[in-house]
Amino acid sequence: MGYDLLFQQAIKLHEQGRLDEAENIYRQILETAPTNPDVLNLLGLIAQAKGRHAQAVELFYQAVKNAPSHAPFYFNLGLSLENDRKLVEAQQAYQDALRLNPEFKEACNNLGDIYNNLGHKDQAEKMYLRALEIDADYCIPRANLAFMKQDVSVLQKATEDYPAEAVFPYYLSRLYQQQNNFDKALIYARQADKLSPDCEELLEQLGAMQLATGNMQEAKITYTHILEINPHAPSALINLANFATNADDFDTAENYYKQALNLKPGDMDGHFNYANMLYRQNRLPEALEEYRAAVIIDPERFEISNNLGLIQKDLGEYEEALGLFFNAFLKNPEREEISVNLAETLTLLHHQDAEKALKIAEQWLHKAPDNVFAQHLNAALKGEKCENNQFFSQKLFDHFAGNYDHVLQRIGYQVPGKLREITGEIKGTAIDLGCGTGLVGEVYKTDSAQLIGVDISERSLDQARGKGIYKELIADDVLHFCQTRLKDYQPDIIFAADVCCYIGQLEELIRACRPYQLAFSIELAATEVEDCLLAPTGRYQHNPQYIERLLRENGYTNINQYPLILRQECGQNVKGVIFTAA
């Protein structure tokens, strides 16, 4: 086949979107004409379409070298340099395009974008206005100028003046996104998509706003559509991988992550989310490498340090884990999950080196004296009195809600089954105080039992709600509920599994529960104490004699104790007692 026919065939394939086939022919032509600027440019456009901007830049540089007076080649070079975040080089390429063609309106607009990104607002405005001088109906610089000035009213008027142009609702969506008004941002993203339904950039914005507003199924459809338009779109691949991960379809997720990172090796979200998937599969060494790749790209992201710390904690490297958690904590001290991880890891370190754990905990409290987790842990490690803190309990169980059932199963949690064995089937209304994710409810669910769950953690209640066990679930502190609403239910029995160990002094709770039948667990105090002590685990341990005295003081006479092993912790049995009282 002759050169011209071969070239025309490649062009046709390129226009049809059959990029791999077109690329093969272009490279075949390049073997006989290695300096052909048109072929080099077209290969650069294919690399650009695939998101391989570094490769595209190299090809465009060769094209302009062999055709130094052709302005579009410089424009294409600038576009890939801009996408590769090489703004100064992109600025020069656009200026070269304008030097060769002063009426190149797209180069004016894109040069305005460069100046805007570099913080040169005045120069950016001049370039946008210059593009409009060349073509007054060129909507993109008009939209860019309004967006740069954060002018909602101009963009809204433009949507009326140019009702067929998608760029104005697109930028309105982005402005509302910046204001965290995701509902309005989604409205305008949908409007833009209707005007230009196959534009990848608009679809990316639509997908992002669907995710931000919790429209997950719609977002999945949007990212699938993006991938149909452009199989080389890293963002679509990563988001579809995230959906697959959440569905435990790890093979599909891994395939998508690898494709995305092959296309865009420097994508921080790709490495981070891939690492999260590997961590969920307990593939710790691989997850470690991906998190390390992510932290090189963006060392300021606290989530990366936090997740690296989780791996080191799981590997038993507690001091290294604490260093990573403190790094995350300094970057974002308001995130409770980091404080929970610090507290848990210090508790684990305490089993190995009590003195070192206490020293680190004291340093944490010194740096963050108002942090309730630091306060609670310091008191626990020192065996001091510490009042029950509702916020501490709520955030602790919010944090563990997602994998609470799995964790308790792994450590041999015995209480729900033992309660059911002791009490037998329940007929009537049962109040499950501190119901959490519904483990007690699972063993008592029958047609004759009306289960009411109460818990301070909304996330735990969400997990319980999904099991369809309870007639009603109530978000409240258990003491407050018992003092204000318990009598409305007139329960036949009240359960409290692993609740007392997060309260401590139980006088008010037992008083609020009388005269209803009780079945609850306590963690047994390791040493002789009058009532209770805050153990290094961060949980309260109780003296059974203290519990029996409280029950008798509140009118309970039929009191029984059932010793048991509550769970395993650091390879040791955690001893407890189940009380029943009527």
Side-chain angles (χ1 to χ4, degrees):
M1 186 180 291
Y3 171 90
D4 289 337
L5 286 176
L6 204 60
F7 187 69
Q8 290 305 316
Q9 182 185 358
I11 292 288
K12 187 176 181 180
L13 290 167
H14 196 158
E15 290 172 346
Q16 292 173 349
R18 296 161 66 180
L19 301 186
D20 292 338
E21 296 170 73
E23 182 177 0
N24 287 336
I25 296 176
Y26 288 144
R27 293 199 178 279
Q28 187 179 338
I29 295 170
L30 212 59
E31 289 177 4
T32 57
T35 60
N36 186 303
D38 292 316
V39 176
L40 289 164
N41 176 65
L42 289 164
L43 277 169
L45 289 173
I46 288 178
Q48 193 177 77
K50 291 182 176 181
R52 297 172 178 167
H53 293 292
Q55 180 186 356
V57 165
E58 185 180 341
L59 289 161
F60 290 136
Y61 268 129
Q62 292 181 56
V64 299
K65 180 181 177 181
N66 291 288
S69 60
H70 196 55
F73 292 174
Y74 286 98
F75 178 82
N76 294 338
L77 172 62
L79 197 58
S80 274
L81 285 166
E82 187 177 355
N83 277 286
D84 207 27
R85 306 305 301 162
K86 296 178 179 177
L87 300 185
V88 175
E89 293 95 325
Q91 176 185 338
Q92 183 60 55
Y94 290 136
Q95 288 172 336
D96 286 337
L98 284 170
R99 173 177 51 80
L100 294 167
N101 179 6
E103 300 300 300
F104 202 150
K105 63 182 182 181
E106 292 85 0
C108 289
N109 174 74
N110 285 24
L111 191 54
D113 289 342
I114 295 292
Y115 284 133
N116 185 17
N117 287 327
L118 292 173
H120 307 315
K121 305 295 183 183
D122 291 342
Q123 290 172 283
E125 183 171 358
K126 288 178 183 177
M127 294 314 301
Y128 291 141
L129 292 174
R130 172 65 186 134
L132 289 169
E133 286 175 11
I134 297 168
D135 182 355
D137 292 325
Y138 185 24
C139 290
I140 295 175
R142 191 182 305 279
N144 281 332
L145 184 57
F147 182 69
M148 182 182 76
K149 293 185 173 183
Q150 306 283 286
D151 199 328
V152 172
S153 60
V154 168
L155 287 169
Q156 287 177 330
K157 186 174 187 306
T159 60
E160 299 169 5
D161 296 341
Y162 302 90
E165 293 292 339
V167 66
F168 298 111
Y170 166 71
Y171 274 123
L172 274 170
S173 176
R174 288 184 57 188
L175 275 182
Y176 282 117
Q177 178 187 6
Q178 289 180 359
Q179 298 168 9
N180 293 325
N181 190 340
F182 299 121
D183 291 330
K184 270 197 171 181
L186 179 58
I187 291 170
Y188 284 108
R190 284 174 172 158
Q191 183 178 332
D193 179 58
K194 284 181 181 177
L195 293 170
S196 185
D198 290 328
C199 174
E200 184 179 337
E201 188 174 5
L202 303 188
L203 285 166
E204 289 279 6
Q205 178 65 12
L206 176 61
M209 293 307 95
Q210 288 165 334
L211 288 176
T213 52
N215 292 284
M216 298 302 174
Q217 195 55 40
E218 289 181 29
K220 187 175 181 180
I221 293 169
T222 298
Y223 286 114
T224 301
H225 184 40
I226 293 172
L227 213 59
E228 291 168 351
I229 296 168
N230 177 13
H232 308 286
S235 175
L237 287 163
I238 290 168
N239 279 288
L240 288 172
N242 295 343
F243 283 120
T245 296
N246 292 334
D248 292 338
D249 184 1
F250 298 122
D251 289 341
T252 299
E254 186 160 15
N255 180 42
Y256 279 143
Y257 285 131
K258 286 183 175 179
Q259 285 186 60
L261 292 170
N262 184 49
L263 291 165
K264 195 174 181 183
D267 192 297
M268 200 287 300
D269 287 330
H271 286 289
F272 182 73
N273 292 333
Y274 183 29
N276 289 344
M277 186 214 79
L278 292 167
Y279 181 70
R280 281 183 59 172
Q281 290 185 284
N282 205 35
R283 294 161 62 181
L284 301 187
E286 294 170 88
L288 201 57
E289 289 307 307
E290 290 300 322
Y291 282 132
R292 284 171 175 161
V295 81
I296 290 169
I297 297 166
D298 189 353
E300 295 307 310
R301 284 281 291 270
F302 77 90
E303 301 100 318
I304 306 175
S305 293
N306 181 68
N307 289 16
L308 275 167
L310 288 173
I311 293 178
Q312 296 295 353
K313 175 177 71 67
D314 288 351
L315 292 172
E317 301 291 342
Y318 302 133
E319 288 187 68
E320 188 169 346
L322 287 167
L324 289 159
F325 289 140
F326 276 117
N327 187 37
F329 181 81
L330 290 172
K331 292 172 183 174
N332 197 336
E334 303 304 316
R335 287 294 289 258
E336 290 94 4
E337 65 185 276
I338 304 171
S339 292
V340 171
N341 290 334
L342 277 166
E344 184 185 13
T345 309
L346 280 166
T347 299
L348 292 168
L349 179 62
H350 186 269
H351 285 280
Q352 291 183 351
D353 191 332
E355 185 178 343
K356 184 174 289 185
L358 179 57
K359 184 177 180 181
I360 295 172
E362 287 174 338
Q363 291 171 348
W364 180 21
L365 184 61
H366 178 73
K367 291 179 180 178
D370 297 326
N371 185 290
V372 295
F373 297 92
Q375 293 170 357
H376 188 90
L377 189 75
N378 268 269
L381 296 185
K382 293 176 181 178
E384 296 176 347
K385 293 283 186 181
C386 182
E387 292 184 7
N388 175 40
N389 187 298
Q390 297 175 3
F391 179 82
F392 170 81
S393 299
Q394 177 189 349
K395 294 305 176 182
L396 181 68
F397 286 100
D398 278 349
H399 175 73
F400 285 114
N403 65 346
Y404 186 72
D405 292 10
H406 173 71
V407 169
L408 289 188
Q409 183 180 19
R410 194 177 67 201
I411 61 177
Y413 183 52
Q414 301 290 326
V415 176
K418 190 67 174 178
L419 277 171
R420 177 67 170 77
E421 180 185 322
I422 292 168
T423 65
E425 183 179 330
I426 297 300
K427 295 181 180 180
T429 299
I431 302 291
D432 185 3
L433 296 179
C435 66
T437 60
L439 295 178
V440 169
E442 286 182 38
V443 301
Y444 279 103
K445 180 175 172 55
T446 62
D447 292 338
S448 60
Q450 301 293 317
L451 301 174
I452 311 296
V454 183
D455 203 281
I456 199 170
S457 167
E458 286 278 10
R459 291 183 187 174
S460 295
L461 290 174
D462 287 341
Q463 297 290 321
R465 197 170 285 116
K467 295 177 180 178
I469 296 168
Y470 293 89
K471 179 183 178 182
E472 186 178 355
L473 287 166
I474 300 163
D476 199 355
D477 173 66
V478 295
L479 176 59
H480 180 263
F481 169 82
C482 290
Q483 290 174 332
T484 59
R485 299 182 60 183
L486 183 61
K487 61 181 181 295
D488 298 336
Y489 292 88
Q490 295 294 307
D492 295 282
I493 191 168
I494 299 171
F495 296 115
D498 266 357
V499 173
C500 299
C501 58
Y502 292 99
I503 295 177
Q505 298 291 336
L506 299 175
E507 283 84 353
E508 290 184 84
L509 181 62
I510 290 178
R511 187 181 308 123
C513 287
R514 67 182 180 190
Y516 306 111
Q517 184 178 349
L518 299 175
F520 61 95
S521 65
I522 63 165
E523 191 168 317
L524 199 59
T527 58
E528 280 297 323
V529 294
E530 182 180 348
D531 43 24
C532 65
L533 64 84
L534 185 58
T537 58
R539 300 187 302 271
Y540 290 95
Q541 298 176 342
H542 290 87
N543 184 336
Q545 294 178 5
Y546 160 70
I547 302 296
E548 182 150 352
R549 185 178 74 249
L550 287 182
L551 291 169
R552 294 196 182 282
E553 287 174 357
N554 284 279
Y556 290 93
T557 55
N558 186 7
I559 302 169
N560 296 287
Q561 297 184 35
Y562 302 88
L564 79 161
I565 302 301
L566 300 172
R567 68 182 76 81
Q568 295 283 318
E569 191 167 72
C570 294
Q572 297 179 349
N573 291 334
V574 178
K575 296 179 181 180
V577 176
I578 286 178
F579 275 86
T580 61

